[in-house]
Amino acid sequence: MIPSGHRRPLAARPAPLRLAVPGFAHPLVAPAEWGGLQRAGLPLDWVTLGSTTLREADGVTGGPGARQDPYWLAAAVPLRTAGIRVLGHLDLAHGARPFGELLSDAQRFLNWYRVDGFLLARCPADADALPEVRRVAGALRTVLERAHLVLAQGTHPSPGYAEFADQLVTFAGPWSGYRWSRAAEWTTDHPPERFCHLVHGVPRSHLQEALRVARWQGAGTIYFTDRTDHGAVDPWESLPGYWDEIVSTIGPGLSE
């Protein structure tokens, strides 16, 4: 059942959903996952490179690393060749990362992997932090003019963030919270392709319900997985057990 807070006017033909990949484990550890993304015709919106929950000594997660990684490069090149956006993972650490560090990481992503944009992880959501995040976004578009910028707040931020982001991750978390979540009223002023939902712990038996929630809330890009974060495990590091079912449901007969 979908609560009334999900409801919004529906078009005669709902916009098709696309898939986002917030980042698998390192390609050396998860070669099957990265290889599976190279299958022709997948309805992929973007894939994140350099994402990891492992934190460095300074508390930062993910990033381009200290030197070019041939495994990341081998994962990125086929995706870019297929026309799929590859985004570099930049951890804003809720606004604590120095401006210069972020630009340095962005430049390394560009130099080593020729990314198409950036996922700004742990991005602040409050109005007070908006000017600084806007400054970062402007600098990233100076470094890469047509950068595709995804702000990953994981919640509905102050509406001003939508003014300079290509996409907002307005939900990132477990199915137990997602199934009863509600979209902010201001999101109805924007098309579905501006919003992304990342949900873990979705049982196969509730997959269709989760897809309905995404459509009702006006999200055009999704990633659902049955993996969970129990035991501090990264739920995004491997493919969901029902990956082919998701692909065949939202894509035109793409499941093998």
Side-chain angles (χ1 to χ4, degrees):
M1 187 177 88
I2 297 181
S4 60
H6 288 287
R7 301 183 185 277
R8 62 167 58 206
L10 292 179
R13 177 179 294 181
L17 291 171
R18 304 283 290 174
L19 290 169
V21 176
F24 294 137
H26 189 277
L28 187 61
V29 178
E33 277 76 2
W34 288 99
L37 296 181
Q38 299 170 20
R39 205 171 85 199
L42 290 178
L44 288 171
D45 191 350
W46 45 265
V47 176
T48 308
L49 204 67
S51 175
T52 175
T53 55
L54 296 177
R55 297 197 178 185
E56 304 295 338
D58 59 2
V60 174
T61 62
R67 61 185 63 85
Q68 187 185 63
D69 186 325
Y71 292 97
W72 285 124
L73 186 62
V77 169
L79 295 172
R80 294 194 67 255
T81 301
I84 297 165
R85 291 190 188 102
V86 176
L87 307 182
H89 180 277
L90 296 178
D91 183 6
L92 269 63
H94 306 297
R97 288 289 303 282
F99 182 79
E101 283 187 13
L102 291 168
L103 291 192
S104 179
D105 278 1
Q107 192 63 62
R108 287 200 293 270
F109 269 123
L110 285 169
N111 293 345
W112 296 340
Y113 309 113
R114 296 181 60 197
V115 296
D116 304 291
F118 305 96
L119 175 77
L120 277 59
R122 295 201 293 169
C123 182
D126 59 288
D128 289 344
L130 199 155
E132 182 60 21
V133 178
R134 182 188 288 115
R135 178 186 176 221
V136 171
L140 292 175
R141 288 205 167 97
T142 298
V143 172
L144 178 62
E145 183 179 358
R146 296 185 179 181
H148 186 81
L149 299 183
V150 179
L151 306 188
Q153 285 112 343
T155 187
H156 288 91
S158 175
Y161 286 94
E163 297 174 5
F164 56 88
D166 292 292
Q167 199 170 65
L168 300 171
V169 178
T170 53
F171 187 94
W175 166 242
S176 58
Y178 185 64
R179 68 184 308 187
W180 305 115
S181 63
R182 299 189 176 196
E185 283 296 322
W186 63 263
T187 62
T188 60
D189 296 331
H190 303 277
E193 58 265 26
R194 301 292 305 282
F195 302 103
C196 175
H197 294 167
L198 309 175
V199 190
H200 60 76
V202 181
R204 183 187 295 270
S205 59
H206 289 279
L207 179 57
Q208 295 303 318
E209 180 185 353
L211 292 170
R212 287 194 296 272
V213 171
R215 289 189 171 101
W216 277 100
Q217 289 207 27
T221 300
I222 58 100
Y223 184 79
F224 296 156
T225 180
D226 50 353
R227 312 305 183 191
T228 70
D229 60 353
H230 297 160
V233 173
D234 180 0
W236 319 118
E237 68 181 5
S238 59
L239 279 173
Y242 43 62
W243 174 253
D244 279 352
E245 186 175 341
I246 295 178
V247 169
S248 62
T249 298
I250 72 174
L254 298 172
S255 182
E256 295 178 348

